[in-house]
Amino acid sequence: MADADSANEAKRFYEDVPTETPGFFLKGAGSLDWGMKNRLSRIFNPQTGKTVMLAIDHGYFQGPTTGLERIDLTIVPLMPYADALMLTRGILRTTVPASLTKPIVMRCSGGPSILKELSDEHLAVDIEDAIRMNVSAITLQVFIGGQFESRSVQNMTRLVDMGMRYGIPTMAVTAVGKEMVRDARYFRLACRICAELGAQIVKTYYVDKGFETVTASCPVPIVMAGGKKLPELDALTMAYNAIQEGAAGVDMGRNIFQSDAPKAMMKAVRKVVHEDMKPADAYELYQDLKKEEITGQD
Ligand code: R5P
């Protein structure tokens, strides 16, 4: 017997409308699987293609560094203003409310403290535990040119393989030894190695000369690392320049949580990253918001 709707059946197939096969908004991610793309879309805002990540993982080798002594009191209130959080599983489980739905970028390497050779790292989290914590990405340091360069690269390729198995992207962080030259040539080398060997995101430092060649020669999104604390206007200028020169966001720690007004600084950085606000305007905004934050009116 003919179905009651059979006369309209053709209509529901929209044969005249071709199925779209859209690309993906993030560089280098077009061929990744759905789960990987979905996790990347939680970290990077699909509207702007950018992210403002808050890095608070310093304790994994530095202990309770300035500004991170009491994450429960000073950092948890900042978390809602970040697009993503980079931290350790210890801080996640002990201190971050499970009701917070911000994407987590989980620190997965460790070993040496600041008292030892920092490049002597190993993988320090099982992929099963990362999955259990519902992370959106996994991350580790890669020490190109460092004493344990080869092991850190192998740590990364193992982490990438584990992440690929479950659709979890890996963010490689280019760590630079104290005695090494921090220039565009070095960062081009380090970032490209990380991307060639499978990292889906690379976090690296800004350089005044030639940063656009670092972003251009890296086939995956680059997120700018914050580095040591700078005056707020300088940090906003650095973030602005990095974005204008091709970065897909920032992952800042000390320049946020060591600021006199961390919430104000985070909001100003967001304007620079997501709305291309000029550094001078963002600094003015920071100063206005700082007054409110300090008087407790925000
Ligand atoms: C690298 O050493 C770690 O990921 C850091 O703990 C973090 O990225 C540093 O952030 P920032 O340099 O912005 O304080």
Side-chain angles (χ1 to χ4, degrees):
M1 195 174 112
D3 186 88
D5 284 341
S6 59
N8 292 327
E9 192 173 22
K11 234 172 153 182
R12 296 200 303 269
F13 287 94
Y14 299 96
E15 302 98 318
D16 53 336
V17 184
T19 302
E20 280 189 23
T21 49
F24 191 64
F25 69 96
L26 273 183
K27 187 173 167 180
S31 301
L32 297 174
D33 187 55
W34 192 95
M36 188 83 80
K37 285 179 175 160
N38 182 258
R39 288 186 174 89
L40 288 167
S41 304
R42 301 191 65 220
I43 297 168
F44 294 90
N45 180 327
Q47 269 74 54
T48 64
K50 309 280 191 320
T51 188
V52 175
M53 206 183 289
L54 176 63
I56 55 159
D57 60 324
H58 307 55
Y60 92 96
F61 70 107
Q62 287 184 222
T65 195
T66 307
L68 295 182
E69 298 89 341
R70 285 294 300 270
I71 289 178
D72 56 332
L73 300 180
T74 61
I75 304 297
V76 169
L78 265 183
M79 291 179 175
Y81 302 93
D83 292 320
L85 304 169
M86 179 186 188
L87 39 54
T88 60
R89 62 175 161 183
I91 289 300
L92 186 74
R93 284 208 170 95
T94 59
T95 314
V96 179
S99 54
L100 190 93
T101 54
K102 292 288 171 186
I104 300 300
V105 178
M106 175 65 54
R107 155 72 48 193
C108 292
S109 62
S113 73
I114 39 169
L115 307 176
K116 297 281 189 175
E117 166 54 43
L118 289 179
S119 67
D120 188 16
E121 284 198 345
H122 296 267
L123 287 183
V125 175
D126 266 354
I127 193 69
E128 285 74 18
D129 204 32
I131 295 165
R132 199 175 292 123
M133 290 177 283
N134 198 26
V135 306
S136 294
I138 42 187
T139 185
L140 82 171
Q141 308 289 103
V142 178
F143 296 83
I144 300 302
Q147 192 178 331
F148 291 91
E149 172 188 80
S150 184
R151 165 138 41 83
S152 75
V153 169
Q154 199 201 12
N155 288 342
M156 185 195 78
T157 56
R158 287 176 55 210
L159 199 62
V160 168
D161 284 334
M162 289 190 279
M164 290 300 291
R165 224 174 285 146
Y166 300 103
I168 303 178
T170 295
M171 180 172 85
V173 182
T174 63
V176 199
K178 281 196 190 92
E179 69 296 339
M180 288 162 60
V181 183
R182 291 174 172 235
D183 60 10
R185 187 179 178 163
Y186 172 79
F187 288 116
R188 282 196 300 267
L189 173 76
C191 293
R192 182 63 173 261
I193 289 173
C194 292
E196 294 254 358
L197 291 175
Q200 287 86 13
I201 311 168
V202 175
K203 168 175 165 173
T204 199
Y205 292 91
Y206 183 72
V207 283
D208 287 328
K209 278 194 197 145
F211 186 72
E212 68 284 356
T213 66
V214 180
T215 56
S217 58
C218 180
V220 301
I222 285 201
V223 171
M224 185 205 78
K228 66 177 186 340
K229 174 76 175 72
L230 300 170
E232 277 75 5
L233 177 57
D234 293 355
L236 290 166
T237 303
M238 180 172 74
Y240 179 83
N241 290 341
I243 295 296
Q244 300 309 311
E245 292 164 28
V250 299
D251 183 12
M252 295 169 89
R254 287 163 289 178
N255 278 293
I256 303 278
F257 62 72
Q258 292 179 353
S259 164
D260 292 339
K263 214 177 278 180
M265 187 59 180
M266 180 86 95
K267 288 179 180 172
V269 170
R270 293 190 67 79
K271 289 281 182 188
V272 165
V273 170
H274 288 298
E275 299 176 32
D276 293 320
M277 186 181 265
K278 294 274 187 329
D281 297 333
Y283 184 60
E284 206 178 307
L285 174 72
Y286 163 75
Q287 285 178 308
D288 290 344
L289 295 171
K290 177 180 167 179
K291 283 184 211 134
E292 293 170 20
E293 187 169 335
I294 286 173
T295 54
Q297 290 167 352
D298 73 319

